[in-house]
Amino acid sequence: MESYQAFEVTEQEDGSFSQQVVSRSTPVLESGNVLIKVQYSAINFKDALSSTGNKGVTRKYPHIPGIDAAGVVLESSDTHLKVGQPVVVTGHDLGMNTDGGFGQVISVPVDWVHTLPDSLSVEDAAVLGTAGITASLCIDKLLMTGLKPSDGPVLVTGSTGGVGSISIALLSDLGFEVHAITGKADQHNALKALGVSEIYGREELSEASKRPIMKPRWAAAIDTVGGVPLENVLKSLKPQGSVAICGLVASPVLNMTVFPFILNGINLMGVDSAEVTSAKKAEMWSFMIEHRAVLAKYQSWVTEIGLNQLPEYVDTILKGNVAGRTLVNLS
Ligand SMILES: NC(=O)c1ccc[n+]([C@@H]2O[C@H](COP(=O)([O-])OP(=O)(O)OC[C@H]3O[C@@H](n4cnc5c(N)ncnc54)[C@H](OP(=O)(O)O)[C@@H]3O)[C@@H](O)[C@H]2O)c1
């Protein structure tokens, strides 16, 4: 494979950014690296930021975004990774300042690569991807507090997003009663089919409250949105409740008192799926493989697109209008 196709973002002299599908030369294998033929990627919120010139995510352009890549080994400097072996890479620096999964070939360090067992296809690994790793890390943190289904319902915010919807599928498979917040009135039936028992509109948690603590409603929560909704979640957890947080689509700002933490013993736990150790990622892949049955009911949450459709879907995800996972088919 001498050249490959990629979705490239370039910075113009006037400071604007343009996106185009280009042909690139396949890189020479560096010592300690693996060349992977990418078959599937997926669009994450971070990819939308990188694709539109967000320097907090990507410092230098031209750049190929894509924090998820699933495919097969093309060439390897590690004898354990054989040519043709199905693999997946998520996070680390992939798609940020290292060219990512929106190209048909990536070159990454060996220790970023996870091999796939026969029981998980390359396509399903991309469906899960960073969203699945993040959902699993959030659930892992909640379970480490001793949380169990009999403690009460678990709330998921940003519920139709990638992280939110996979969190729901996994929590439901673990036997939890799941409640969800969504801005999409047309997705209520799909959320119920995924395992949600109570659905609230975004307005339920969007008003800032002066009250330091509110009526206890949930035993735990997974929050993907931050801001005022997260403040209200923290104030509405049952005593000793926990929330695992990963996102900021509503806001990165929290403006509240310490009372829920020091009077109700609430735990606020952060998740970073990009730089978590490879060993922890491997543990999360094992967890998802164990619960891969959820993928059967997740099929209607997957949209497949080609490289040429990325600009349209980048825009849609930035507007918060995507439901589930958008796979990029690079074959
Ligand atoms: N820390 C980490 O390691 C990590 C990893 C992955 C993702 N993230 C972050 O987690 C967040 C979610 O990621 P994702 O990939 O799931 O994104 P996504 O697929 O774009 O989903 C985000 C969802 O949030 C809801 N939403 C959008 N705008 C909102 C607003 N203004 N107020 C309240 N809710 C809003 C929407 O769901 P509804 O319409 O259902 O409300 C939307 O579908 C992002 O901030 C992302 O950067 C962090």
Side-chain angles (χ1 to χ4, degrees):
M1 201 168 174
E2 285 175 5
S3 65
Y4 67 95
Q5 299 285 108
F7 173 81
E8 186 182 72
V9 182
T10 42
E11 186 170 9
Q12 307 300 310
E13 279 179 8
D14 65 0
S16 65
F17 290 84
S18 65
Q19 307 161 333
Q20 51 277 313
V21 175
V22 298
S23 186
R24 286 250 191 129
S25 300
T26 301
V28 174
L29 180 69
E30 290 170 36
S31 163
N33 268 27
V34 183
L35 291 188
I36 296 169
K37 181 180 176 190
V38 183
Q39 294 168 329
Y40 289 96
S41 184
I43 315 182
N44 298 275
F45 192 75
K46 205 185 239 179
D47 298 320
L49 297 178
S50 174
S51 299
T52 48
N54 186 306
K55 296 269 175 102
V57 177
T58 300
R59 288 186 304 275
K60 280 195 187 154
Y61 294 84
H63 172 65
I64 301 169
I67 63 173
D68 289 340
V72 293
V73 173
L74 203 56
E75 231 180 301
S76 171
S77 59
D78 183 315
T79 51
H80 293 104
L81 289 170
K82 304 274 182 240
V83 171
Q85 162 77 49
V87 290
V88 63
V89 181
T90 65
H92 298 282
D93 191 48
L94 187 72
M96 293 181 69
N97 291 291
T98 300
D99 282 336
F102 293 174
Q104 289 170 320
V105 176
I106 55 169
S107 174
V108 294
V110 170
D111 62 0
W112 292 9
V113 181
H114 295 270
T115 56
L116 293 173
D118 291 343
S119 55
L120 193 71
S121 69
V122 166
E123 187 174 354
D124 283 344
V127 168
L128 294 166
T130 289
I133 291 280
T134 309
S136 302
L137 286 166
C138 287
I139 292 170
D140 185 56
K141 290 233 163 169
L142 294 180
L143 295 180
M144 277 196 283
T145 67
L147 182 74
K148 45 192 189 314
S150 57
D151 292 335
V154 179
L155 179 72
V156 177
T157 63
S159 65
T160 66
V163 178
S165 56
I166 296 178
S167 297
I168 290 167
L170 290 170
L171 283 168
S172 165
D173 202 48
L174 288 167
F176 285 96
E177 177 184 342
V178 187
H179 293 185
I181 300 279
T182 184
K184 299 186 185 79
D186 60 345
Q187 294 294 326
H188 286 204
N189 285 340
L191 283 167
K192 283 187 184 149
L194 207 54
V196 176
S197 59
E198 291 272 348
I199 301 172
Y200 306 96
R202 263 189 220 160
E203 62 287 352
E204 185 79 11
L205 296 177
S206 61
E207 286 287 314
S209 166
K210 288 208 171 70
R211 294 177 59 192
I213 292 179
M214 294 150 79
K215 185 179 148 209
R217 300 169 74 178
W218 300 289
I222 292 179
D223 178 67
T224 67
V225 306
V228 171
L230 174 58
E231 290 167 20
N232 288 330
V233 168
L234 286 161
K235 294 175 184 179
S236 306
L237 290 178
K238 295 181 180 187
Q240 315 308 323
S242 304
V243 54
I245 69 164
C246 64
L248 44 56
V249 286
S251 167
V253 177
L254 280 186
N255 186 8
M256 62 186 293
T257 69
V258 298
F259 288 119
F261 309 104
I262 65 172
L263 296 183
N264 275 352
I266 300 305
N267 302 306
L268 173 57
M269 304 178 298
V271 159
D272 167 22
S273 65
E275 290 301 337
V276 71
T277 63
S278 290
K280 191 70 191 177
K281 271 189 194 166
E283 195 189 314
M284 295 300 98
W285 277 114
S286 298
F287 170 75
M288 289 190 283
I289 289 163
E290 192 185 324
H291 292 277
R292 64 188 177 283
V294 301
L295 287 162
K297 62 177 177 177
Y298 198 74
Q299 272 172 1
S300 62
W301 288 82
V302 180
T303 305
E304 198 168 305
I305 65 166
L307 283 180
N308 285 318
Q309 290 164 282
L310 273 166
E312 178 196 335
Y313 278 84
V314 161
D315 190 48
T316 312
I317 208 166
L318 285 175
K319 289 182 176 143
N321 290 337
V322 169
R325 292 282 281 162
T326 305
L327 278 201
V328 186
N329 185 340
L330 291 108
S331 295

